Amino acid sequence: MKTGTQIKLPEESKLLRILIFLCTMVAIVTLLREEEWPSIVTILVLPATCLGFIVSWIRRNKNNWWLKLIISFVMLIAMVDFFKNLFMTPYDPRIPIANLLLWLQVLHSFDLPAKKDLNYSLLVSFVLIVLAAVLSVDVSYLALFLIYIFLATITLLYNNYLDEIRKCALQQEKYGLQQEKGSLQQEKINLQQDFILLKLLVRYNLKICCIILVCSFILFISFPRVEGFRIRQLPFSMRFNFPFKKETRIVNPGYPMTQGNSMNWTRKGQLWGAFNPNSYFGFTPYLDLSYRGNLSDKIVMRVKTTMPNYYRGMAFDTYNGQGWGMSLEKVEWISSITPPIQVPLESTIMPGEEIIQTFYIKEELPNIIFAAYQPTQVYFPTDSIAQDRYFGLRSPFPLQDGIVYSVVSSVPKENIRLLRKFVSQDYPHEIKEEYLSLPPIPYRVKKLAIDLTKSYNTPLDKVNAVDVYLKNNYPYDLNIPPFPENRDSVDEFLFETRRGYCEHFASAMAVLLREAGIPARIVTGFTNGTYNPFTSYYEIKGTDAHAWVEVYFSGAGWIPFDPTPGYSAMPNAGNRQDRWIAGKTIEYFWDRFLGFFPQHLRIQFPSISFLTNKTLQLIIVILIVLTVIILWKQVLQKQKDKILKFLRNVFKKEKTFHEKIFNLTNAKAVSLFQILCKHLAALGYPRPEAATPYEYIETLPNHLPINEIKLLTQDYVAARFGAKELSSDSYEAGKRLITSLQVKITSKKTPHKIVQD
Amino acid sequence: MFRIEAYVLFVMGSFLLLTALNIQVGWLFFIVFTLFAILGINFFYPLIILNNINIKRTVNDAYENEDVTISITLENFSKSKKHFIAVTDFFPSTITIETPKQVRMFFLEIPAKGSITRTYKEKAARRGQYTFQPLIIESSAPFGLMRCSKKYMLPSLMTIYPAPLSLISLNSSQPLTGYADSLFFRRSQGATDDFCGLRSYSPGDNLRFVHWRTSAKTQTLMIKEFRLPVSTTMTIFLDVSSNEHEGEGKDSSLELGIKIATSIIKDSLKNGREVQLIANDGFPPLKATSLWSLLSRLAVIPHLESYERLGSHGKKISYGKKVSCYKKVNPNGHSSIFDLIQSVVNQKMDLLHFVLILPINETRPVRSNVTLLLQLLSRLQERRIKVEIVAVLSESFVKPYHLCNPQEQDKNVLNTLTSRICWVTRNEQGVFLA
């Protein structure tokens, strides 16, 4: 039989129920929105939760044993479904967990008789919001999160209010006290009064919420993002309808001419049609250097990675004077029934670092699987993918909005010292044949290549020399005139226009290196994009499409180099994610602000990339903290008297330095003895380093107050080594001795007058 | 003081922070810091709320069994509103052993530079002077995750006056002006111009007032007597520490005696007489015309429970046992009421009439009040002082045999000097004249 305390009293406050219901609904909507669940689930979950809250209100006074039984049964089904889903997606447990919690919330909403149950419901809604945060890939989550926080804090406020008035009422009941009518405790809680109260709480909560959000934002940007254990999450799409036919060629939806066209890239001119700002022309079988135009800055994909990197798409090995092509577009299919698909690696002796990337495709892209070089495992929503001979990966179909895939890559740690050891220019025959061949090149290009590299012995030094030359002498410019027909593009770039964009820089470097006898090829893909500190995703826009160079080092394999000004020479070096994100956050907001202006106007605004500097970030954090302190100055000033009073109390007692600092019982004796030694030293009798206190006083002359000194020394030794406390009399005697010695020191310093008779 | 919910949120926040560091999700960091901000605000906000606040307590004195009204005023000195403040007041227990009653009040909002007053009422169960314990002001703003409290030492003293009885009406409470009936005159040794007669010598009389001529005629020493102005002050002797008191709490004979004294005081003051209250509780006599000061004097008389209880063999006994058959010993060893009366009478020559309120318990075998009373009356008879006795009887309201059936020598005393003995008792039906 239940005792009185065990019986849960039904919660009668409608407002509390309504507030918790709203919190729950917002949490569910946020999760469903982030999860992009099938519509049937969306249709079911929301009305089921509404129904649950209504049922639990109506039946709050009932036992509801049959309802509990049904809930338990359905919960078992949900658990079975959870384990089934978990088994199906072992690499990403977020969705099964979200599914389970969602059903837990729905089922729990049918049985909320007491306040405790309602609080549990609020807690589950918070967990749903957390799950939605984990699944969220963009900043739109913030809007729903703010609504949730506002509702949740109002609920907590109201909950606190209910607790307080109930506590008062309980005491009144216990002691039989009477309070005057009109006091809150006397008022019967009804919905109408609740709404009047709600208005007051809303006003109050607005202030509180603002403080909370400001505090959380300051903490958010001040807290270093130290790396944890790097738990592997490898999500990939499961619900995608794949086309039946596997594509083996490059298919770029932005350039429809690529579809069904033969690889006759030797044709000159703009082979793939007019420039498409929504699609990068570098993701075609032929990289035409005569294309001109600005790419759109729409986000094409988001990447979650353990380390930012360049995401390689394609490689080109053959230069024809106007563009780059692939000598052989043959691909090999790699299959695996269960994920992941293992990708064969290029042989290298360079130490590699494992990085995990997850790609969330937002715009239609070619059938290229972008990944940091070199990918080792691919979690892709198909059981087979293709690999070309340049170790580029192909999807069986063009990538579409909503596709998610993960790649584990082994990125070579580009240690310059190690690379410098690869001095051999004895390359394999096939490498030489393929990556050193060039069409007839103007003499001045050849001469330039020789001039730049002749004074260097190692391939790395030669590569660096070319890189430095290009970066120092050629500005980046997207708006250059078209090259004249039948002229070598690299020659035009190097000697005529003397400006260009990434493809021109990369082409120039590759050609110059090949001329210098170093194998090189052009690679296209995406740079690491902009870091979004809220989602921790790198947002890759169309403008982040990029071309760079891969240089072959005998023994080390292909190493990427980027000659475009403004980019690091070695894209993989020093790319580790920065722990301090204050600068990045400001940069992100600046970027969003610039997004409101047309592309040609954005150039007018200064760049704030310098903010990512660590020292500057630290200064930013300090400035933010100082601002907060200044804002609180008023409060601090008001508290000044109290603080001073507190400090006075602390220092009220005449404590010695040792007492204050170390809280020692023998502090007084130690302090006195130290002052004694100091004074004796001042009188010309310093304590020898190796002398014990007794040995020291034996050496003192008789004109000093030896007896008093001996007594103080005895007290010191007793206190210091015998843990005996110094008596107040001894302390006073010691102080007198110190004072007398002080007088002697002063008189010694004062020059005596010589009186002559 | 953090509540369990705060610990749950802290643990949850720490767990989420670890998760966020491991999976590097930006929003998760934001949620974690929002959670920590909520906790932080809950930590600091109550401290801010309780700052710049003042509290006042006003207590109205009341009679026993009436309602005491206590007002609590919260003043906000800051420029911003204060929210979620709870005040706990400890109403002093009017029953000795019980713990103080807690009165909790909740203030949802206090306007900036404003104040709010709340009142509560409590029945004053028993007379006495009570000190309020420190008042506790708490805030759990805004979300109730942390509670901060402050103690306010407010000097609030509450006096519960003894309730008067309407049954008692004595002749002595009537006004006396100038010289009254000869019965009330005091023939004393004080020399005035108003010679009024002679009487035979009593031991202790001053030989200076011997009327030698008459003495020679009558062959006995005769003493001159003079008219003296009779004091109009109503003097009340109240026996508070006698062993004769019995009963417990509000039903004790002491409380009954105090109520009777209250009635007499009220009645006397109503008739324009000054009142002097003398009790044998160690405090000096109080002469006043203010009702409240006299009632306050009565209110502070210690309750019977505060006396040490000794068994009939002098052994201490503990609380909780039925004590009506045990002695209650005055801890301070104050003099008995009879000694006090004697000394006052010796000092005050003009005291010709007073009221004596004392318990009478015939069941006491040794030196009971009756014996002592008769001795006193005998002495006062010689001084021609009139005493009105209010005898507070035990619950059994058996009139003492010795007083109701006095011996021959006592009959004289009772008949001549005492105008009246008023027997008051209490039983389940209430207080009445026996």
Side-chain angles (χ1 to χ4, degrees):
Chain A
M1 195 179 159
K2 279 184 175 179
T3 61
T5 50
Q6 285 172 325
I7 296 166
K8 285 196 282 187
L9 289 170
E11 178 56 57
E12 295 295 334
S13 170
K14 281 180 192 166
L15 182 60
L16 184 69
R17 283 178 185 272
I18 290 169
L19 285 170
I20 290 177
F21 168 71
L22 289 174
C23 286
T24 311
M25 292 305 272
V26 171
I28 291 172
V29 167
T30 313
L31 187 61
L32 291 175
R33 192 192 147 279
E34 297 301 339
E35 184 44 35
E36 296 171 0
W37 276 27
S39 57
I40 186 73
V41 177
T42 320
I43 293 164
L44 271 177
V45 168
L46 293 170
T49 313
C50 292
L51 185 71
F53 271 84
I54 294 165
V55 168
S56 60
W57 165 252
I58 294 166
R59 301 194 60 82
R60 67 190 182 282
N61 293 311
K62 308 268 171 39
N63 194 357
N64 297 329
W65 64 269
W66 56 271
L67 195 63
K68 286 182 172 62
L69 203 69
I70 293 170
I71 289 169
S72 311
F73 181 71
V74 182
M75 200 62 229
L76 277 174
I77 296 170
M79 284 295 284
V80 170
D81 185 53
F82 164 70
F83 284 114
K84 197 178 121 194
N85 286 339
L86 198 67
F87 180 74
M88 283 172 74
T89 54
Y91 308 102
D92 186 16
R94 295 175 303 170
I95 307 297
I97 291 172
N99 198 355
L100 180 73
L101 280 167
L102 206 55
W103 283 110
L104 179 75
Q105 178 69 285
V106 172
L107 294 171
H108 188 239
S109 67
F110 280 87
D111 187 29
L112 304 168
K115 190 160 161 257
K116 206 174 176 182
D117 303 308
L118 286 162
N119 286 342
Y120 281 134
S121 198
L122 186 66
L123 194 71
V124 176
S125 75
F126 177 72
V127 177
L128 293 182
I129 279 286
V130 169
L131 267 172
V134 175
L135 293 169
S136 169
V137 290
D138 56 18
V139 282
S140 62
Y141 169 82
L142 182 65
L144 285 165
F145 176 72
L146 289 180
I147 296 170
Y148 178 81
I149 281 292
F150 188 75
L151 286 170
T153 46
I154 284 238
T155 311
L156 287 174
L157 269 176
Y158 185 65
N159 218 337
N160 188 21
Y161 167 75
L162 282 183
D163 279 350
E164 288 289 351
I165 59 161
R166 280 171 190 173
K167 215 180 267 180
C168 291
L170 204 71
Q171 281 203 340
Q172 279 180 47
E173 203 179 304
K174 186 180 169 189
Y175 294 113
L177 295 164
Q178 323 152 31
Q179 290 204 14
E180 271 196 349
K181 277 193 176 178
S183 65
L184 282 164
Q185 290 87 326
Q186 286 283 320
E187 287 166 12
K188 193 187 171 187
I189 304 160
N190 60 47
L191 201 59
Q192 200 183 350
Q193 281 170 343
D194 268 353
F195 278 111
I196 297 165
L197 176 76
L198 189 63
K199 272 186 188 174
L200 196 144
L201 292 181
V202 165
R203 278 204 306 271
Y204 180 44
N205 194 43
L206 272 172
K207 188 179 138 191
I208 299 284
C209 269
C210 287
I211 299 170
I212 288 171
L213 290 173
V214 169
C215 291
S216 54
F217 184 72
I218 290 168
L219 285 169
F220 176 76
I221 62 167
S222 315
F223 189 81
R225 298 277 174 93
V226 286
E227 282 179 8
F229 298 109
R230 286 194 188 185
I231 292 171
R232 284 162 68 119
Q233 269 185 332
L234 300 155
F236 56 97
S237 301
M238 290 294 286
R239 298 181 300 276
F240 198 77
N241 295 322
F242 308 115
F244 188 71
K245 191 187 162 195
K246 285 179 182 175
E247 285 290 350
T248 54
R249 293 163 295 116
I250 295 289
V251 178
N252 189 340
Y255 294 93
M257 293 287 281
T258 53
Q259 292 175 33
N261 240 337
S262 64
M263 292 293 96
N264 189 9
W265 54 268
T266 49
R267 274 167 39 183
K268 291 180 181 173
Q270 294 190 352
L271 186 67
W272 312 120
F275 177 82
N276 184 352
N278 294 321
S279 187
Y280 179 47
F281 60 87
F283 301 141
T284 54
Y286 174 67
L287 176 65
D288 194 338
L289 295 174
S290 60
Y291 267 113
R292 298 288 182 273
N294 291 334
L295 283 164
S296 147
D297 60 354
K298 267 199 237 171
I299 293 172
V300 292
M301 61 179 170
R302 291 188 173 91
V303 183
K304 183 79 183 285
T305 177
T306 51
M307 195 171 83
N309 217 297
Y310 279 18
Y311 306 109
R312 188 178 185 269
M314 296 177 69
F316 301 90
D317 60 346
T318 312
Y319 178 63
N320 67 353
Q322 278 76 40
W324 291 83
M326 301 160 107
S327 59
L328 194 61
E329 219 198 339
K330 193 186 161 192
V331 292
E332 278 180 20
W333 288 95
I334 318 158
S335 300
S336 171
I337 298 161
T338 56
I341 301 166
Q342 299 288 346
V343 181
L345 283 174
E346 204 178 8
S347 64
T348 178
I349 56 162
M350 286 290 282
E353 187 174 358
E354 188 184 71
I355 68 165
I356 301 158
Q357 316 124 73
T358 303
F359 295 82
Y360 295 82
I361 307 299
K362 290 304 291 175
E363 293 287 330
E364 203 172 33
L365 285 171
N367 60 331
I368 296 168
I369 299 174
F370 297 95
Y373 186 71
Q374 305 181 52
T376 56
Q377 292 175 354
V378 179
Y379 294 80
F380 201 76
T382 54
D383 56 0
S384 57
I385 56 168
Q387 188 184 34
D388 63 20
R389 58 194 297 269
Y390 312 103
F391 292 90
L393 298 176
R394 307 265 175 88
S395 154
F397 51 87
L399 303 182
Q400 290 175 16
D401 179 17
I403 286 189
V404 179
Y405 68 90
S406 298
V407 179
V408 180
S409 298
S410 174
V411 177
K413 285 181 185 172
E414 284 170 11
N415 191 329
I416 293 173
R417 206 184 298 170
L418 194 66
L419 274 179
R420 214 179 286 279
K421 286 179 185 171
F422 297 108
V423 290
S424 165
Q425 283 191 281
D426 183 19
Y427 303 109
H429 176 68
E430 61 275 13
I431 295 284
K432 269 188 195 172
E433 195 179 323
E434 198 172 336
Y435 297 104
L436 287 177
S437 64
L438 283 170
I441 295 288
Y443 175 71
R444 54 185 179 176
V445 176
K446 285 182 184 177
K447 189 175 178 296
L448 179 67
I450 291 159
D451 288 348
L452 287 172
T453 56
K454 68 182 177 190
S455 52
Y456 299 101
N457 295 325
T458 64
L460 179 67
D461 291 339
K462 287 177 183 175
V463 172
N464 280 340
V466 173
D467 178 69
V468 168
Y469 174 75
L470 289 173
K471 277 180 177 154
N472 288 348
N473 296 295
Y474 297 88
Y476 184 86
D477 192 354
L478 278 168
N479 303 310
I480 51 163
F483 296 140
E485 276 190 26
N486 302 325
R487 293 288 298 274
D488 187 90
S489 299
V490 170
D491 179 63
E492 276 295 312
F493 166 69
L494 288 172
F495 299 103
E496 299 302 327
T497 58
R498 299 187 68 83
R499 53 182 63 241
Y501 46 87
C502 56
E503 289 77 15
H504 300 139
F505 283 91
S507 299
M509 188 182 199
V511 168
L512 288 171
L513 288 176
R514 281 188 184 191
E515 274 300 328
I518 299 167
R521 65 188 180 194
I522 295 283
V523 181
T524 55
F526 287 103
T527 57
N528 50 24
T530 313
Y531 181 71
N532 184 335
F534 295 97
T535 58
S536 298
Y537 285 85
Y538 284 87
E539 289 172 353
I540 294 173
K541 294 172 189 164
T543 46
D544 290 318
H546 194 51
W548 62 96
V549 177
E550 276 180 353
V551 181
Y552 189 81
F553 286 82
S554 191
W558 292 97
I559 304 294
F561 285 89
D562 191 348
T564 312
Y567 292 88
S568 167
M570 300 179 83
N572 294 349
N575 271 357
R576 190 156 291 283
Q577 197 166 309
D578 202 350
R579 287 177 182 182
W580 299 94
I581 59 146
K584 279 186 179 177
T585 311
I586 294 167
E587 198 183 9
Y588 176 77
F589 281 119
W590 182 249
D591 206 39
R592 302 286 288 195
F593 168 71
L594 291 183
F596 291 112
F597 297 93
Q599 213 165 14
H600 65 276
L601 282 177
R602 284 178 215 167
I603 307 158
Q604 310 297 324
F605 290 95
S607 165
I608 56 160
S609 55
F610 62 88
L611 285 176
T612 48
N613 181 297
K614 280 180 187 173
T615 321
L616 271 169
Q617 288 198 45
L618 198 65
I619 292 166
I620 291 166
V621 171
I622 291 166
L623 281 174
I624 289 166
V625 173
L626 281 175
T627 315
V628 174
I629 291 170
I630 290 163
L631 283 172
W632 280 87
K633 199 183 161 191
Q634 284 289 322
V635 180
L636 286 174
Q637 272 184 343
K638 282 177 190 170
Q639 301 292 328
K640 197 173 73 182
D641 292 340
K642 283 186 181 174
I643 294 165
L644 285 173
K645 196 180 166 189
F646 172 77
L647 289 173
R648 270 200 295 274
N649 283 336
V650 170
F651 294 102
K652 200 164 68 181
K653 273 188 173 181
E654 279 189 16
K655 287 180 177 177
T656 62
F657 177 76
H658 284 79
E659 271 181 314
K660 281 174 203 163
I661 305 298
F662 305 111
N663 195 21
L664 296 173
T665 51
N666 54 19
K668 279 180 182 173
V670 173
S671 176
L672 276 179
F673 188 73
Q674 280 180 352
I675 298 166
L676 174 76
C677 292
K678 202 173 134 191
H679 284 9
L680 288 171
L683 287 167
Y685 312 104
R687 183 183 169 186
E689 275 182 20
T692 63
Y694 287 124
E695 285 169 357
Y696 175 45
I697 57 169
E698 287 301 322
T699 62
L700 296 175
N702 288 332
H703 65 83
L704 291 171
I706 291 294
N707 289 334
E708 286 86 343
I709 292 171
K710 268 185 184 170
L711 281 173
L712 180 60
T713 310
Q714 279 168 5
D715 287 334
Y716 161 69
V717 172
R720 178 77 177 80
F721 305 107
K724 285 181 185 171
E725 263 195 70
L726 191 70
S727 69
S728 57
D729 288 344
S730 305
Y731 182 62
E732 289 303 319
K735 274 170 84 176
R736 279 197 297 277
L737 172 66
I738 297 291
T739 317
S740 67
L741 289 175
Q742 183 71 45
V743 172
K744 281 194 178 187
I745 292 165
T746 320
S747 60
K748 192 185 169 188
K749 281 179 184 171
T750 315
H752 293 282
K753 271 187 180 178
I754 301 164
V755 183
Q756 285 185 339
D757 288 328
Chain B
M1 186 181 69
F2 282 107
R3 284 176 64 185
I4 185 78
E5 288 89 343
Y7 291 108
V8 170
L9 282 185
F10 181 76
V11 170
M12 193 183 250
S14 307
F15 173 74
L16 287 179
L17 180 63
L18 280 175
T19 313
L21 287 172
N22 284 322
I23 63 173
Q24 292 287 324
V25 176
W27 285 124
L28 213 49
F29 280 104
F30 199 78
I31 290 176
V32 168
F33 295 128
T34 307
L35 213 58
F36 285 149
I38 288 174
L39 283 172
I41 281 170
N42 249 281
F43 183 78
F44 289 110
Y45 216 74
L47 297 172
I48 296 165
I49 290 278
L50 296 187
N51 199 21
N52 279 330
I53 238 175
N54 190 33
I55 193 158
K56 283 178 186 167
R57 177 170 47 202
T58 324
V59 185
N60 292 340
D61 295 338
Y63 282 109
E64 217 169 34
N65 298 325
E66 280 182 2
D67 282 344
V68 187
T69 309
I70 295 122
S71 305
I72 306 281
T73 306
L74 267 183
E75 290 174 319
N76 177 12
F77 297 129
S78 70
K79 288 176 190 168
S80 55
K81 289 176 185 174
K82 304 265 182 188
H83 296 89
F84 284 89
I85 297 175
V87 175
T88 308
D89 196 9
F90 296 89
F91 186 86
S93 167
T94 48
I95 303 158
T96 320
I97 300 165
E98 246 185 43
T99 50
K101 286 182 179 180
Q102 285 181 28
V103 184
R104 197 178 170 86
M105 293 174 170
F106 178 63
F107 298 77
L108 182 63
E109 187 178 81
I110 304 170
K113 300 271 180 194
S115 65
I116 288 184
T117 304
R118 289 272 164 75
T119 54
Y120 70 91
K121 285 178 181 172
E122 168 68 357
K123 198 174 179 186
R126 200 169 176 192
R127 58 106 200 154
Q129 212 161 40
Y130 301 96
T131 313
F132 278 80
Q133 281 186 18
L135 200 133
I136 294 174
I137 175 166
E138 290 174 272
S139 179
S140 60
F143 307 124
L145 300 173
M146 190 248 181
R147 191 171 287 278
C148 180
S149 64
K150 232 176 178 182
K151 270 188 181 180
Y152 277 85
M153 302 292 286
L154 297 176
S156 291
L157 198 69
M158 179 179 71
T159 309
I160 305 296
Y161 305 117
L165 286 173
S166 57
L167 291 167
I168 308 299
S169 177
L170 300 173
N171 293 335
S172 54
S173 62
Q174 297 306 310
L176 291 174
T177 50
Y179 299 99
D181 183 73
S182 62
L183 186 66
F184 289 91
F185 287 177
R186 168 80 191 273
R187 289 178 174 86
S188 174
Q189 295 174 356
T192 65
D193 295 339
D194 203 357
F195 172 77
C196 68
L198 296 167
R199 64 166 173 84
S200 56
Y201 173 82
S202 299
D205 284 344
N206 194 339
L207 290 174
R208 208 157 61 88
F209 299 112
V210 173
H211 197 275
W212 293 109
R213 194 182 296 169
T214 316
S215 299
K217 278 180 191 172
T218 56
Q219 294 296 309
T220 49
L221 279 174
M222 296 300 282
I223 296 289
K224 285 185 276 188
E225 283 194 331
F226 305 90
R227 279 178 194 271
L228 289 172
V230 177
S231 167
T232 57
T233 303
M234 174 69 190
T235 305
I236 301 165
F237 284 93
L238 178 63
D239 186 7
V240 298
S241 63
S242 168
N243 292 338
E244 304 297 321
H245 278 301
E246 59 188 357
E248 281 200 78
K250 286 168 74 176
D251 299 331
S252 69
S253 55
L254 172 67
E255 296 303 318
L256 194 53
I258 289 169
K259 279 177 184 164
I260 292 160
T262 311
S263 303
I264 297 168
I265 287 167
K266 277 189 91 173
D267 220 18
S268 303
L269 291 173
K270 201 174 159 187
N271 294 323
R273 291 184 69 181
E274 191 185 36
V275 176
Q276 185 177 30
L277 180 67
I278 303 164
N280 56 339
D281 58 354
F283 290 97
L286 175 70
K287 199 180 208 177
T289 51
S290 155
L291 176 68
W292 303 119
S293 59
L294 288 160
L295 292 189
S296 299
R297 173 72 184 81
L298 285 176
V300 296
I301 290 170
H303 291 125
L304 213 52
E305 289 84 357
S306 62
Y307 293 156
E308 200 173 322
R309 293 147 190 235
L310 295 178
S312 52
H313 301 291
K315 280 177 86 176
K316 266 190 188 177
I317 58 152
S318 59
Y319 276 100
K321 287 186 180 176
K322 195 166 170 61
V323 292
S324 58
C325 58
Y326 294 98
K327 270 185 178 180
K328 296 167 186 75
V329 178
N330 183 349
N332 301 320
H334 300 305
S335 51
S336 82
I337 195 74
F338 303 109
D339 298 339
L340 204 62
I341 293 167
Q342 191 65 58
S343 67
V344 171
V345 165
N346 287 344
Q347 284 169 19
K348 289 173 70 71
M349 291 303 160
D350 58 345
L351 183 67
L352 290 178
H353 164 245
F354 64 85
V355 175
L356 170 61
I357 303 165
L358 82 166
I360 291 178
N361 191 345
E362 182 65 8
T363 54
R364 304 280 175 205
V366 186
R367 279 183 65 80
S368 72
N369 273 4
V370 176
T371 321
L372 294 168
L373 177 65
L374 287 170
Q375 285 172 6
L376 173 78
L377 290 178
S378 173
R379 283 200 296 276
L380 294 177
Q381 184 194 19
E382 293 167 2
R383 306 279 293 269
R384 296 185 187 178
I385 297 171
K386 187 186 172 189
V387 186
E388 282 193 79
I389 300 166
V390 179
V392 183
L393 294 178
S394 62
E395 278 180 37
S396 56
F397 61 92
V398 178
K399 287 183 184 175
Y401 179 80
H402 287 310
L403 280 179
C404 295
N405 305 291
Q407 290 171 0
E408 279 307 310
Q409 70 272 22
D410 296 335
K411 264 183 189 170
N412 185 32
V413 172
L414 286 168
N415 291 335
T416 56
L417 290 174
T418 310
S419 68
R420 182 175 176 184
I421 296 182
C422 183
W423 304 98
V424 186
T425 190
R426 173 195 287 276
N427 69 358
E428 285 171 0
Q429 280 77 44
V431 178
F432 61 92
L433 291 170

